[in-house]
Amino acid sequence: QNCCEDLKSIKERLEPRRRHAAMQRMGLRALKWPFTSKEIEDHVQALEKYLVLFNTTLQLDVLDIVSDAEQDRLLEKLTYAGDALFNSYENEQRHRMCLENTRVEVLQQAMEWTADDSSRCIFWLKGPAGTGKSTIANTVAFRLKAGTRPVATFFFKRGHGDLAHVRKLIPTVARQLSADSPLYRQAIVTVIKKEPDLGRSANFREQYEKLLVEPLRGLLHSTHDHIPFYIIMDALDECEEERDLRKLLNLMAKTDDLPQLGLKILVTSRPELSIRHGFEGIPSIFHRNLALQDEPRSVVDKDIRTYLSHELKEVQRKFHLPAEWPIDQDLDTLASKAGGLFIFAATACRYVGESPQAKPDLRLKQICNTVTPNKLMTEELDQMEGIQGKNDEILKKDFII
């Protein structure tokens, strides 16, 4: 800005408009030089300083580009489970987001927790298999990401290599957070420069401390505008190494300043004994729990019916069935038979509409007529065994996951 003002002043004095207006009308120009020797010397020195400043700025820009490339190279030293991300291709095949106007109360509580700086730093969403925990986690992650928040996700899956273990959890989280926060990125790059093998061969405790906790502590003390960081760990019970699972929960329990780090962690899981014991070791002021099985059954049934209506309407369009299909009575029957489990509803919809050889309307009637409500799920599935052909056995297995 100063440079522009100086150049403008010089220009105005070199091209006077008023002082020599009369001479200009006569076609004459003033011959008097508008600057003294001292002024010329001052202006030359000032312009030389601006030139040095411009050259330095350009050089710094080039260094920044080189620095970004160097940072990327260092971050690649962190082992990375790309399929664990909520928006990965792998996860997209397994989990969807909540339909509009479903799981409203649960999502409202979760999103209010993310926005409340004074809330507890850990939110444990627990519930039996099939109650929609992963779908809720997926939706929360999508909303946080859409709001440009620093968010990292890790969706566990038993029997799926890296997704069934915690050994790549912290490096994967660190890589994601570094993409969303330049300050955090610089902090962990500094750490990796000192310890290049930290993200590959270091033990879990070291990774937790040096790649997550210590960088966040540094940011807390170095900036007044500290935005929250979010970590979503879905299906923690699907981690195959119970010892490492206990270690993770124990580390969180022993991080005394966890609430002050600006870190908010959403965990979903079945309420299995090892996980319950782990959370019992975490101070109650650190976490809050929400049990999906405690939701009013009427609310859950309504959401399941909405889901069934949406999915079966897709089947109706795909197979060119009558516009009134499925009828309300069948939707009510299926919602009741689901027993509060979204996995039952999802598998029933796949069974009805995914086989090109079968007739969806007949399959829907078979489920509604042969699976007796208010029985144990295993009994209902045994009845369905006669309905499904050999090629559909995988759908039956999905019911009992």
Side-chain angles (χ1 to χ4, degrees):
Q1 184 177 352
N2 291 337
C3 180
C4 291
E5 291 175 355
D6 287 350
L7 290 173
K8 183 178 179 181
S9 174
I10 293 172
K11 181 176 182 293
E12 289 176 349
R13 293 183 65 179
L14 286 173
E15 298 180 355
R17 296 180 180 179
R18 297 181 180 178
R19 183 183 302 175
H20 307 294
M23 297 181 69
Q24 288 175 353
R25 284 196 295 271
M26 293 184 292
L28 301 174
R29 297 185 62 184
L31 298 177
K32 184 178 178 182
W33 182 247
F35 301 107
T36 65
S37 298
K38 181 66 169 63
E39 288 175 328
I40 292 174
E41 184 178 344
D42 291 341
H43 283 309
V44 169
Q45 290 178 354
L47 292 174
E48 287 177 344
K49 289 180 180 179
Y50 291 134
L51 183 60
V52 171
L53 178 61
F54 294 152
N55 285 333
T56 303
T57 302
L58 288 172
Q59 291 173 7
L60 288 175
D61 288 341
V62 173
L63 287 175
D64 284 342
I65 295 173
V66 174
S67 177
D68 286 344
E70 175 66 9
Q71 288 183 3
D72 290 340
R73 186 186 68 80
L74 289 168
L75 288 171
E76 287 176 0
K77 293 181 177 294
L78 298 176
T79 55
Y80 189 63
D83 287 342
L85 278 60
F86 88 99
N87 54 358
S88 68
Y89 177 82
E90 166 67 26
N91 194 58
E92 188 180 55
Q93 305 309 303
R94 294 188 286 117
H95 305 302
R96 298 165 63 178
M97 289 192 293
C98 298
L99 291 177
E100 187 176 358
N101 297 322
T102 64
R103 315 317 298 264
V104 173
E105 178 63 27
V106 176
L107 288 171
Q108 181 178 343
Q109 290 190 49
M111 295 312 298
E112 286 177 352
W113 166 79
T114 67
D116 185 1
D117 293 339
S118 63
S119 63
R120 297 171 185 178
C121 57
I122 302 173
F123 190 115
W124 181 25
L125 182 66
K126 57 184 177 179
T131 49
K133 301 180 295 296
S134 295
T135 303
I136 293 169
N138 223 28
T139 305
V140 172
F142 176 82
R143 292 184 180 183
L144 288 173
K145 200 70 174 178
T148 64
R149 313 278 186 89
V151 55
T153 57
F154 199 102
F155 280 62
F156 287 92
K157 180 63 177 176
R158 189 180 304 276
H160 280 60
D162 292 337
L163 307 190
H165 306 278
V166 301
R167 58 175 169 261
K168 290 187 179 180
L169 170 64
I170 299 301
T172 300
V173 165
R175 282 274 292 270
Q176 292 175 79
L177 294 180
S178 70
D180 290 340
S181 170
L183 291 175
Y184 176 83
R185 177 187 177 95
Q186 184 59 57
I188 65 167
V189 162
T190 301
V191 173
I192 299 170
K193 274 186 177 179
K194 296 177 181 177
E195 300 183 59
D197 295 328
L198 182 61
R200 295 185 182 276
S201 57
N203 64 54
F204 189 75
R205 178 185 296 275
E206 271 195 284
Q207 290 183 343
Y208 174 81
E209 289 289 343
K210 296 180 179 180
L211 291 175
L212 189 61
V213 175
E214 290 178 7
L216 290 177
R217 282 189 186 130
L219 293 183
L220 183 65
H221 298 304
S222 65
T223 177
H224 298 291
D225 186 23
H226 190 64
I227 60 174
F229 289 75
Y230 300 90
I231 298 175
I232 296 176
M233 293 184 287
D234 176 68
L236 199 60
D237 54 282
E238 302 240 350
C239 174
E240 295 178 357
E241 299 163 337
E242 188 173 311
R243 181 181 61 182
D244 287 343
L245 188 59
R246 290 197 303 268
K247 187 180 299 182
L248 169 63
L249 295 173
N250 187 50
L251 285 172
M252 291 195 294
K254 292 184 176 180
T255 307
D256 295 333
D257 59 346
L258 193 62
Q260 288 76 47
L261 294 180
L263 183 63
K264 300 182 82 69
I265 304 171
L266 171 64
V267 177
T268 76
S269 76
R270 304 177 194 181
E272 294 186 349
L273 185 62
S274 59
I275 298 177
R276 292 204 309 271
H277 285 170
F279 273 99
E280 287 171 2
I282 300 176
S284 59
I285 59 171
F286 282 18
H287 69 91
R288 60 166 294 185
N289 304 335
L290 179 61
L292 290 179
Q293 64 268 29
D294 293 340
E295 274 194 289
R297 179 61 182 273
S298 59
V299 173
V300 178
D301 284 352
K302 180 176 178 292
D303 287 348
I304 289 177
R305 192 186 189 284
T306 299
Y307 171 82
L308 288 167
S309 177
H310 177 273
E311 294 299 301
L312 293 179
K313 275 299 178 185
E314 292 294 321
V315 175
Q316 180 262 326
R317 285 188 283 269
K318 176 181 176 181
F319 288 89
H320 307 290
L321 297 172
E324 63 273 13
W325 189 90
I327 61 174
D328 288 342
Q329 182 180 349
D330 287 345
L331 291 174
D332 293 338
T333 300
L334 271 185
S336 175
K337 290 177 182 295
L341 299 179
F342 280 84
I343 189 66
F344 184 99
T347 307
C349 290
R350 288 199 299 273
Y351 170 74
V352 169
E354 284 196 354
S355 174
Q357 291 82 22
K359 294 183 178 181
D361 51 344
L362 294 181
R363 284 198 166 195
L364 179 59
K365 285 298 182 185
Q366 286 174 329
I367 296 176
C368 290
N369 294 334
T370 60
V371 180
T372 307
N374 300 322
K375 286 191 175 182
L376 292 175
M377 185 64 64
T378 53
E379 294 179 5
E380 297 182 9
L381 295 175
D382 287 341
Q383 293 184 40
M384 290 193 68
E385 186 172 8
I387 299 175
Q388 302 184 62
K390 183 177 180 181
N391 292 336
D392 299 313
E393 185 63 24
I394 185 65
L395 295 177
K396 178 178 180 295
K397 291 178 181 178
D398 283 346
F399 272 99
I400 58 177
I401 289 176

